[in-house]
Amino acid sequence: EADIYQTPRYLVIGTGKKITLECSQTMGHDKMYWYQQDPGMELHLIHYSYGVNSTEKGDLSSESTVSRIRTEHFPLTLESARPSHTSQYLCASSEWTGNNSPLHFGNGTRLTVT
Amino acid sequence: EDKVVQSPLSLVVHEGDTVTLNCSYEVTNFRSLLWYKQEKKAPTFLFMLTSSGIEKKSGRLSSILDKKELFSILNITATQTGDSAIYLCAVFTGNTGKLIFGQGTTLQVKP
């Protein structure tokens, strides 16, 4: 069973606020990912990391930023939240074994910006 | 542009029915295809397929990949209400190992 945790589970905030979505994993996985998922839509990769001090942008443009200072921690930050940021954000991790390791997902953060 | 397409987008069946979910893909540098089940929370991993024609099986679920025709199917036999979920197909592609998801198939199993 994968051990990857996201907090908060739900977040409702006003426009213009700065927020950080937390993601931690205890499996020692090198690769971590952030996906964005709107209801009824596919998951879109917004950020990923190969390891400490590595961050890359995904396929979907996002105004969020990420950092990877520790292996187990991959927070996502929005400097100024807007209603268009309302979505579900899913964090995932995988081992670094030739690109073919299944991703293990956290339970997600459902963000609503009013 | 890499893409993964699932069909049908939604499906309603009764307990005991058998269902087949489809996933087709067009990607550069295919690595592997994965199936996930997503209920209310996190997607949970079901299968990873890398070779054509080799069936993967877990209980009532099975899946197979056809790399020539670029598709995979997920079969669920003797469906139960607990099978109700969104089933996601995803493909690992390219040297960076990005995982590209399809839109998902929403399965509802009625008692």
Side-chain angles (χ1 to χ4, degrees), chain A residues 33 93-103, chain B residues 32 34 36 48 92:
Chain A
Y33 313 78
S93 71
S94 69
E95 295 179 38
W96 177 252
T97 53
N99 302 323
N100 277 339
S101 296
L103 274 62
Chain B
S32 57
L34 288 77
Y36 283 86
M48 183 165 72
F92 265 123

Side-chain angles (χ1 to χ4, degrees), chain B residues 88-100:
Chain B
L88 299 168
C89 174
V91 173
F92 265 123
T93 178
N95 296 324
T96 57
K98 290 182 185 178
L99 195 59
I100 299 171

Side-chain angles (χ1 to χ4, degrees), chain A residues 27-47:
Chain A
M27 298 166 285
H29 286 169
D30 287 321
K31 294 184 78 172
M32 295 189 74
Y33 313 78
W34 277 102
Y35 282 86
Q36 185 174 340
Q37 184 184 31
D38 293 323
M41 302 295 287
E42 60 262 53
L43 280 73
H44 289 286
L45 181 66
I46 52 175
H47 298 282

Side-chain angles (χ1 to χ4, degrees), chain B residues 24-44:
Chain B
S24 63
Y25 60 90
E26 290 181 31
V27 302
T28 53
N29 196 7
F30 172 90
R31 298 278 184 165
S32 57
L33 185 144
L34 288 77
W35 284 96
Y36 283 86
K37 177 183 181 182
Q38 185 177 24
E39 297 174 87
K40 292 182 179 177
K41 299 178 181 178
T44 53

Side-chain angles (χ1 to χ4, degrees), chain A:
Chain A
E1 188 72 25
D3 292 314
I4 180 163
Y5 308 99
Q6 290 186 242
T7 58
R9 182 76 181 93
Y10 300 95
L11 180 61
V12 180
I13 60 165
T15 297
K17 299 290 186 183
K18 177 180 178 179
I19 58 167
T20 296
L21 309 184
E22 302 288 348
C23 176
S24 295
Q25 49 96 4
T26 58
M27 298 166 285
H29 286 169
D30 287 321
K31 294 184 78 172
M32 295 189 74
Y33 313 78
W34 277 102
Y35 282 86
Q36 185 174 340
Q37 184 184 31
D38 293 323
M41 302 295 287
E42 60 262 53
L43 280 73
H44 289 286
L45 181 66
I46 52 175
H47 298 282
Y48 60 103
S49 167
Y50 291 115
V52 171
N53 294 326
S54 154
T55 60
E56 306 285 343
K57 287 193 178 293
D59 301 315
L60 182 67
S61 175
S62 174
E63 293 165 347
S64 59
T65 59
V66 292
S67 62
R68 189 86 183 277
I69 298 172
R70 304 197 315 263
T71 298
E72 62 271 21
H73 197 212
F74 192 39
L76 180 146
T77 298
L78 277 165
E79 290 292 333
S80 180
R82 296 206 301 269
S84 61
H85 296 139
T86 295
S87 188
Q88 171 155 265
Y89 293 84
L90 288 163
C91 180
S93 71
S94 69
E95 295 179 38
W96 177 252
T97 53
N99 302 323
N100 277 339
S101 296
L103 274 62
H104 300 278
F105 285 87
N107 284 333
T109 293
R110 188 167 294 281
L111 173 65
T112 302
V113 184
T114 60

